[in-house]
């Protein structure tokens, strides 16, 4: 019995080799179609997967997307949180590390000794202050650079664009901030222009703000930049709210919803394109398989005449289609991943990072398309050996 199975298996693969080599021109056309489909599929899938990381990175530049506030607080309230709450926030996620900033808000007088101008403005104390200044140094001129040595956060500040315009000060201008009997001085390190309320603020180090407001170890809010997809961010917010029931955890919806809409559009477009490419690939291969079915009528009639069941005959052709799909998928998917690097640079301005999970998915899809495209071979089931030998089929 074992010897018979080994003989059948050897004969099976021998026939497969003969079938593959019977018409090399047609074999090349099928491989070319499957390879091209696999290449485009792998490139688009890699772009789709990389778009999650790319959008997360781009949206990080806009600032925090989650806020932790005192329970039941409103925009006009002066309630605070213990600064120790920061240490309870989980920062390690599968998608990356959560950036955390503590902030204390107050209204204080801003005085410019050089010009004698003063006004009341919102002062925000942040820890770390670099969290606020990293995205605004580019607007302060070529002399401002992250590589240059800077004073300690308690000695420098970041001025909103509208505040700077109203008071007419420049970079390195000394400011004096006053609240009650407290005074703090700082030097303008950079300017912030977002088009939002940040343009009306002066941002200083958290310790200086706590001294100015006479609120040691107190903060108004904790700002988080949470990496990941919108669904992952919402899941993180829900877990954080359960972990910290005495505070309010609120998403900044203009960022989370904007990221979700952009990703859904990109993902939907790429998914639809992949589906169209696979459909066109399947139609091309199906046309080639129709010719295969017409050419192999005599071979099928002979196999059935010597006792071969139709099930075994179709298994031969399905195995041939699967092997063609596997070969085309392996070659095309590898080319597609390299293609996605160039496409990513053209779309996002930065080369897409190759994602290994895309490779087996693209190969598997190509094999499935190849097998489904062998549907015309079912016509061979109706062939009668006698009709073939009489030349009627």
């Amino acid at each position: 019995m074992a010897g018979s199975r080994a003989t059948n298996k050897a004969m099976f693969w021998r026939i497969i080799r003969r079938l593959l080599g019977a018409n090399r021109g047609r074999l090349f056309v099928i491989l070319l179609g499957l390879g091209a489909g696999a290449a485009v599929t792998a490139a688009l899938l890699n772009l789709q997967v990389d778009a999650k990381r790319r959008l997360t990175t781009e949206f990080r530049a806009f600032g925090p997307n989650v806020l932790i506030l005192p329970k039941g607080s409103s925009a006009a309230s002066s309630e605070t949180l213990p600064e120790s709450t920061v240490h309870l926030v989980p920062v390690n996620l599968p998608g990356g590390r959560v950036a955390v900033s503590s902030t204390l808000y107050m209204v204080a007088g801003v005085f410019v000794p050089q010009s004698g101008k003063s006004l009341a403005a919102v002062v925000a104390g942040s820890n770390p202050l670099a969290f606020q200044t990293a995205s605004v140094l580019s607007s302060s001129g070529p002399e401002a650079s992250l590589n240059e040595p800077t004073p300690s956060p308690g000695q420098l500040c970041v001025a909103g664009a509208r505040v700077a315009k109203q008071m007419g000060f420049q970079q390195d201008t000394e400011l004096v901030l006053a609240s009650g009997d407290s005074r703090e001085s700082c030097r303008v390190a950079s300017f912030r222009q977002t088009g939002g309320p940040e343009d009306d603020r002066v941002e200083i180090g958290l310790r200086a703000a706590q001294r100015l407001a006479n609120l040691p170890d107190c903060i108004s809010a904790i700002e988080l930049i949470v990496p990941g997809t919108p669904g992952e961010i919402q899941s993180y917010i829900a877990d954080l709210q359960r972990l910290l029931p005495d505070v309010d955890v609120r998403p900044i919806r203009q960022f989370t919803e904007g990221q979700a809409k952009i990703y859904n559009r990109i993902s939907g477009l790429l998914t639809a394109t992949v589906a169209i490419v696979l459909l066109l690939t399947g139609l091309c291969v199906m046309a080639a398989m129709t010719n295969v079915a017409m050419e192999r009528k005599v071979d099928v009639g002979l196999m059935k005449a010597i006792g071969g069941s139709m099930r075994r005959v179709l298994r031969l052709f399905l195995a041939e289609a699967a092997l063609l799909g596997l070969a085309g998928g392996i070659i095309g998917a590898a080319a597609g991943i390299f293609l996605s690097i160039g496409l990513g640079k053209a779309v996002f301005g930065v080369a897409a990072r190759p994602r290994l999970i895309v490779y087996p998915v693209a190969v598997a899809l190509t094999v499935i398309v190849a097998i489904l495209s062998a549907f015309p071979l079912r016509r061979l089931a109706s062939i009668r050996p006698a009709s073939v030998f009489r030349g009627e089929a």
Side-chain angles (χ1 to χ4, degrees):
M1 179 68 80
S4 176
R5 287 183 178 178
T7 302
N8 290 339
K9 187 177 294 186
M11 180 60 69
F12 178 86
W13 290 111
R14 183 177 180 182
I15 295 174
I16 289 292
R17 288 195 299 269
R18 291 292 181 90
L19 291 175
L20 290 174
N23 191 328
R24 297 187 178 182
R26 185 185 60 248
L27 174 67
F28 175 77
V29 170
I30 295 176
L31 279 177
L32 183 62
L34 291 170
V40 177
T41 299
L44 296 178
L45 289 178
N46 195 66
L47 283 178
Q48 183 175 354
V49 174
D50 192 67
K52 293 183 181 180
R53 178 183 64 89
R54 184 62 56 197
L55 283 176
T56 300
T57 302
E58 296 294 335
F59 269 82
R60 285 176 71 100
F62 292 105
N65 52 8
V66 177
L67 294 177
I68 300 177
L69 302 171
K71 195 74 172 179
S73 64
S74 62
S77 67
S78 58
E79 299 178 20
T80 60
L81 294 168
E83 190 177 355
S84 58
T85 307
V86 174
H87 305 297
L88 302 177
V89 177
V91 296
N92 294 315
L93 297 179
R97 187 175 178 84
V98 178
V100 183
S101 173
S102 306
T103 307
L104 177 64
Y105 296 103
M106 75 192 79
V107 177
V110 181
F111 177 68
V112 183
Q114 294 177 358
S115 63
K117 294 182 178 180
S118 65
L119 57 76
V122 175
V123 175
S126 300
N127 180 34
L129 186 59
F131 175 81
Q132 301 289 344
T133 62
S135 63
V136 300
L137 288 173
S138 60
S139 64
S140 59
E143 66 276 6
S145 172
L146 288 175
N147 297 323
E148 293 181 0
T150 58
S152 64
Q155 298 173 343
L156 57 82
C157 55
V158 179
R162 282 192 289 267
V163 173
K165 186 176 181 180
Q166 290 175 13
M167 303 191 70
F169 54 76
Q170 304 296 325
Q171 189 173 358
D172 294 329
T173 300
E174 290 291 333
L175 301 180
V176 177
L177 310 177
S179 177
D181 296 331
S182 302
R183 299 286 186 277
E184 291 289 335
S185 62
C186 65
R187 179 176 64 82
V188 178
S190 61
F191 299 94
R192 184 180 183 92
Q193 184 173 8
T194 64
E198 295 84 0
D199 293 1
D200 297 311
R201 298 175 186 167
V202 175
E203 300 174 5
I204 60 176
L206 179 60
R207 294 291 174 259
Q210 289 172 339
R211 292 193 300 268
L212 188 62
N214 195 24
L215 291 172
D217 301 323
C218 292
I219 55 177
S220 302
I222 301 173
E223 299 177 343
L224 309 178
I225 296 181
V226 182
T229 63
E232 293 169 345
I233 295 174
Q234 292 296 336
S235 177
Y236 176 83
I237 291 173
D239 294 339
L240 189 58
Q241 186 66 78
R242 286 192 292 268
L243 180 65
L244 303 173
D246 297 329
V247 302
D248 284 340
V249 183
R250 303 176 186 175
I252 300 180
R253 298 193 180 277
Q254 63 188 37
F255 289 151
T256 55
E257 292 179 358
Q259 182 178 351
K261 288 179 181 178
I262 292 174
Y263 177 72
N264 289 338
R265 289 178 181 177
I266 293 176
S267 178
L269 179 62
L270 293 178
T271 301
T273 306
V274 167
I276 293 173
V277 168
L278 291 177
L279 177 62
L280 294 176
T281 301
L283 291 175
C284 292
V285 177
M286 190 176 293
M289 287 296 183
T290 302
N291 292 331
V292 170
M294 296 177 64
E295 293 176 1
R296 293 181 177 172
K297 288 182 178 180
V298 176
D299 299 333
V300 172
L302 179 59
M303 291 179 188
K304 295 178 72 174
I306 60 177
S309 65
M310 196 59 223
R311 182 179 178 183
R312 289 189 175 184
V313 172
L314 289 178
R315 191 185 301 169
L316 282 172
F317 295 122
L318 289 177
E320 180 188 10
L323 287 175
L324 289 173
L326 181 63
I330 290 174
I331 298 171
I337 289 179
F338 286 105
L339 176 64
S340 69
I341 297 176
L343 289 176
K345 196 167 185 178
V347 174
F348 296 108
V350 180
R353 182 183 301 175
R355 304 289 177 167
L356 295 180
I357 185 61
V358 170
Y359 189 78
V361 172
V363 173
L365 288 174
T366 307
V367 173
I368 292 172
V369 168
I371 293 175
L372 294 178
S373 300
F375 180 80
L377 297 178
R378 293 179 60 88
R379 297 173 55 187
L380 300 176
S382 60
I383 292 179
R384 297 180 180 180
S387 299
V388 171
F389 293 145
R390 288 197 300 266
E392 298 174 358

